[in-house]
Amino acid sequence: MSSENLPQSPERAESPEPHGRKPRVAVVFGGRSSEHGISVVTAGAVMKAIDRTKYDVLPIGITTDGRWALTADEPERMAITDRKVPDVDRLAGAAEGSVVLSVDPGSREVVYTEPGAVPKALGEVDVVFPVLHGPYGEDGTLQGLLELSGVPYVGAGVLASAVGQDKEYMKRVFISFGLPVGPYEVVRPREWDNDPAAARKRLVDFAGEHGWPLFVKPARGGSSMGITKVDDLSGLDAAIEEARRHDPKFLVESLLRGREIECGVLEFEDGPRASVPAEIPPVTAHDFYDFEAKYIDSATGLVPAPLTEEQTAEVQRLAVAAFDAVSCEGLVRADFFLTEDGTFVINEINTLPGFTPISMYPRMWQESGVDYPELVDRLIQAALTRSTGLR
């Protein structure tokens, strides 16, 4: 991408909405995690929904090796085609330039550099809409950079993002706030590296206490990637290897028999509110609700979930309680099991839930009276009015 084709820099601004300029939204997507592709899909949906009469959009893709690249504003190229997810490297093409965000909180300037060329200022960014899933984006790392830069951003802050990404500490926080959590066991990298036999025995003992099947999953992953349902001892080692391929820290959870219920939380002017809940019915073509079921085969959920009024009120209460327990901001999707004895158990929250056209979070809010464009607009407006720093 040559410098001649870059967007023209708007005039320097001292406020989010200077005369003659709309607020500028940088949509940051892709990233170094195994969820790179679905992040690109999410970004395409968000970019398509942003009201261009109200905002200017600057698409910034992060390649799998961590380079920040300026990409074309072409959401139609960011969809799943032929069962394949897109990636930033293809969107950026042969361009070798990089995008740099200033860490000077008084600037908010974005600069584009190419090898052997003079850096080109692209103007200031008023707000960042991060749609990075997984490590190096959803886990507080990007949020920390934006805090240093003094740039407002959509969604949870540093602490909430980090806790929401790490399933071990997420569960520990939930337990400390009295939220119901199912049985689990965590294996940290040093434990596995120093004495895998002892760690494996602990997991076998866990299975002896809680029964098979078990779910083995990366501790800091999402989009159901790296998760394996293990029916007996023979599949345990392969499942651990698959989880550790995504994260050296992993955990094991027992099977909770019941219904899978999800609930969205959105921050309004008067505080967080819960959407109508949804139910993920059993997926007959898949062993569980995995990545392929979610994004490739477009498994659909029931919105609203067929629950009683009392059950709906209870899961909404628990979803907001989880949002508050982790000190979240902006949005959260909370995932539950409604067990056979009629009680809800929280499985996890997602501080940056799936946001594609078929994702459950936008669908739940659509049913609750907030359509996709309004949802995107609310998140941007909330970020614009929220300061960075301690709050």
Side-chain angles (χ1 to χ4, degrees):
M1 184 180 296
S2 67
S3 59
E4 289 81 4
N5 296 324
L6 292 173
Q8 294 300 306
S9 302
E11 293 182 4
R12 184 176 178 82
E14 297 300 325
S15 64
E17 296 187 60
H19 294 296
R21 183 167 80 81
K22 295 175 284 190
R24 201 169 199 209
V25 182
V27 180
V28 181
F29 58 94
R32 295 162 56 189
S33 83
S34 55
E35 298 174 78
H36 176 101
I38 201 60
S39 170
V40 178
V41 176
T42 300
V46 169
M47 287 163 54
K48 191 179 296 185
I50 292 177
D51 185 350
R52 303 309 176 93
T53 67
K54 294 177 64 174
Y55 309 103
D56 287 326
V57 175
L58 179 67
I60 299 175
I62 301 178
T63 64
T64 52
D65 62 3
R67 178 172 66 93
W68 288 44
L70 193 65
T71 68
D73 187 359
E74 299 175 351
E76 64 277 1
R77 295 178 56 201
M78 302 166 73
I80 295 174
T81 55
D82 299 325
R83 301 177 67 86
K84 295 180 180 178
V85 292
D87 63 67
V88 171
D89 294 88
R90 283 200 290 268
L91 291 171
E96 297 181 356
S98 297
V99 174
V100 177
L101 180 65
S102 171
V103 293
D104 176 1
S107 172
R108 298 187 183 178
E109 189 80 28
V110 175
V111 176
Y112 180 80
T113 62
E114 286 184 310
V118 176
K120 181 179 178 63
L122 300 182
E124 292 191 336
V125 165
D126 297 302
V127 63
V128 168
F129 200 129
V131 289
L132 293 140
H133 299 297
Y136 311 110
E138 190 183 352
D139 59 349
T141 50
L142 176 65
Q143 290 75 16
L145 172 63
L146 296 174
E147 292 285 350
L148 288 173
S149 302
V151 180
Y153 54 92
V154 169
V158 176
L159 174 66
S161 296
V163 172
Q165 185 66 38
D166 191 313
K167 294 177 175 61
E168 176 192 0
Y169 287 98
M170 181 197 308
K171 291 175 186 292
R172 289 181 182 273
V173 169
F174 289 158
I175 291 169
S176 72
F177 276 81
L179 296 171
V181 171
Y184 71 98
E185 193 73 41
V186 176
V187 178
R188 298 180 178 181
R190 188 168 58 188
E191 294 176 301
W192 186 259
D193 293 338
N194 290 349
D195 195 346
R200 189 176 186 276
K201 181 181 184 304
R202 185 152 53 87
L203 300 182
V204 173
D205 291 344
F206 178 84
E209 180 180 359
H210 299 286
W212 301 91
L214 302 175
F215 288 90
V216 180
K217 57 179 66 175
R220 295 161 290 196
S223 296
S224 296
M225 299 188 77
I227 299 178
T228 306
K229 181 183 177 184
V230 183
D231 293 314
D232 54 45
L233 188 61
S234 65
L236 183 60
D237 290 340
I240 292 172
E241 183 178 342
E242 172 61 15
R244 282 175 54 82
R245 193 168 66 84
H246 296 266
D247 185 350
K249 176 180 174 180
F250 66 95
L251 71 160
V252 171
E253 296 173 344
S254 64
L255 174 67
L256 293 176
R257 301 188 184 278
R259 300 160 61 186
E260 292 189 50
I261 306 295
E262 298 183 349
C263 190
V265 179
L266 180 63
E267 195 169 14
F268 286 76
E269 292 78 7
D270 59 350
R273 302 181 199 170
S275 70
V276 299
E279 179 171 5
I280 307 300
V283 185
T284 56
H286 299 263
D287 209 19
F288 63 97
Y289 194 44
D290 61 7
F291 178 85
E292 293 245 336
K294 284 181 179 179
Y295 298 111
I296 305 299
D297 293 334
S298 303
T300 56
L302 304 175
V303 186
L307 300 171
T308 66
E309 288 186 14
E310 292 77 11
Q311 289 172 329
T312 296
E314 175 63 3
V315 76
Q316 290 174 327
R317 182 190 72 80
L318 289 170
V320 172
F323 182 97
D324 286 336
V326 183
S327 298
C328 291
E329 294 169 294
L331 72 164
V332 149
R333 193 194 72 230
D335 301 343
F336 298 85
F337 292 104
L338 177 56
T339 60
E340 293 177 338
D341 65 3
T343 60
F344 284 101
V345 174
I346 187 165
N347 183 36
E348 65 181 52
I349 59 169
N350 281 267
T351 56
L352 185 64
F355 224 90
T356 69
I358 64 170
S359 297
M360 298 306 299
Y361 185 85
R363 289 185 59 202
M364 287 187 287
W365 279 108
Q366 172 81 39
E367 188 68 26
S368 304
V370 181
D371 64 20
Y372 195 98
E374 182 186 351
L375 184 60
V376 170
D377 188 71
R378 278 189 169 276
L379 290 169
I380 293 172
Q381 286 297 318
L384 282 168
T385 59
R386 187 170 60 235
S387 65
T388 55
L390 298 177
R391 55 189 183 274

